[in-house]
Amino acid sequence: MRIVAAQHFPRLEAELKEKAIACKEKKAREAIVKREAALEKAAKREAKLQAKLELEKEGVVIEDDDSESEDETEHTPENRVEMYKEIAEEKAEKEAREKEREPKKRDYELEQLAAIERTRKNEEEGKIRQCNEGKWVFNFDETSKKAHVILDISIPKFLDSSLVDVDIHPNYVSVVIKSKVLRLNLPAEVDSSNSTAARSKTTGHLVLSMPKIHPDENSLSMRVNARDKIKAQEEKKKNEELKMKQRDLQKISGQMQAEAFKARKPTGGSVKLKGLVPVRKGGIASTDQSGSMKVVSSKVLSSNTSTSSAVLPPVPPTSVPKEGGAQDHEEEGEEEDIDENEPPPLF
């Protein structure tokens, strides 16, 4: 295309120059005509003004006629015809622009015949290459019908069959669908004279049934493909079963958790702090009814450790003491269990 454009460029450039010169001359002529018309109007206006002045000198009063305008033209048949011609030209230009914007009508039958002729001519010359210009979806099948190669091409259901042309060869098949070429190599050598082509009434697919010349051709690959297909189906089934089991386990665990949550007894009430932290570990000493308090030894972490007594402030009793001072005896027993050789606490 670039070479063709370079060849035509000088001629087009000369034509454009001639048109530009003609356009300039036309504009110059129009400017001259407009200038002459303006001069004529100015002369008429000046003559009218002089006549008005002469009449005023004589004492005649003339009222100004503002209805006339400089842009007004004479009401003559010639002017009206010229005006209508201009309106018709503007209308024709507008229709031409709208027509250019409209989509062009295509003749699909002529395009199909031209594509068939071009394709068959290339095949006769030996230019055979696989192609799929229309991006059609196709599928080969050698297992559904014994000793046959089935080619299923997905084409639109409402596509007219007159726009489909099929040419089957022993090693390849060529199909022209709506001026788009689909050429495929066959997996086995076929008998083109006994092959059939049909369209499905439900889906509109094009189905080509081609008998093999050697029925056992590709038998090993067919068995391998069938075995792989069975394996894939089994794996898919196992994965589905495993997913079902996992879903069931999740459901059972959820039910068990719900039952355990329902069976759990609610906790509430006061909590006794006595016994949680022993006194020798830094616990708080309790007081008796008389309000007296006990002294608890505290140990400090340092290089020179020494025991010192600390008096804690009185703490209100957390529970009612037992009769006979049983609570005091228990606390004294806890204090007696303190081992002096025990290492100092960390807290």
Side-chain angles (χ1 to χ4, degrees), residues 37 40-41 44 68-84:
E40 289 179 1
K41 286 182 180 180
K44 288 180 180 180
E68 296 182 358
S69 176
E70 294 181 357
D71 297 334
E72 291 181 355
T73 58
E74 296 181 359
H75 190 66
T76 59
E78 292 80 8
N79 290 335
R80 291 200 301 272
V81 169
E82 186 178 357
M83 182 176 62
Y84 289 134

Side-chain angles (χ1 to χ4, degrees), residues 120-245:
R120 302 298 176 247
K121 185 178 180 181
N122 292 336
E123 291 173 358
E124 288 175 1
E125 293 176 357
K127 299 177 181 178
I128 301 170
R129 292 184 299 176
Q130 290 194 118
C131 61
N132 187 4
E133 296 178 354
K135 308 297 182 185
W136 310 110
V137 179
F138 61 89
N139 182 32
F140 280 109
D141 185 12
E142 298 181 64
T143 58
S144 61
K145 193 173 182 181
K146 189 177 181 181
H148 279 72
V149 177
I150 308 297
L151 175 60
D152 187 352
I153 304 172
S154 300
I155 60 177
K157 181 179 179 180
F158 299 103
L159 181 66
D160 193 355
S161 297
S162 62
L163 300 177
V164 180
D165 185 80
V166 182
D167 188 13
I168 299 174
H169 296 264
N171 295 321
Y172 70 92
V173 61
S174 178
V175 186
V176 182
I177 306 169
K178 200 176 178 182
S179 69
K180 304 294 183 183
V181 183
L182 173 64
R183 190 182 297 113
L184 301 170
N185 289 329
L186 298 174
E189 190 175 359
V190 300
D191 185 4
S192 58
S193 59
N194 294 325
S195 300
T196 59
R199 288 192 68 183
S200 174
K201 292 183 179 180
T202 56
T203 60
H205 289 197
L206 177 64
V207 182
L208 305 180
S209 179
M210 299 166 282
K212 293 182 181 179
I213 294 177
H214 305 289
D216 295 333
E217 190 173 359
N218 290 339
S219 59
L220 180 60
S221 61
M222 289 166 57
R223 288 198 296 271
V224 171
N225 292 335
R227 187 167 62 250
D228 293 342
K229 189 175 181 180
I230 292 170
K231 285 183 178 179
Q233 291 177 356
E234 290 178 354
E235 289 180 358
K236 185 177 180 181
K237 189 176 180 180
K238 286 181 180 179
N239 292 332
E240 289 178 355
E241 291 177 355
L242 183 60
K243 287 181 180 179
M244 289 291 291
K245 288 181 180 179

Side-chain angles (χ1 to χ4, degrees), residues 254-265:
Q255 292 177 355
M256 292 175 65
Q257 290 178 1
E259 293 294 334
F261 183 77
K262 290 179 181 179
R264 188 177 61 182
K265 293 181 179 180

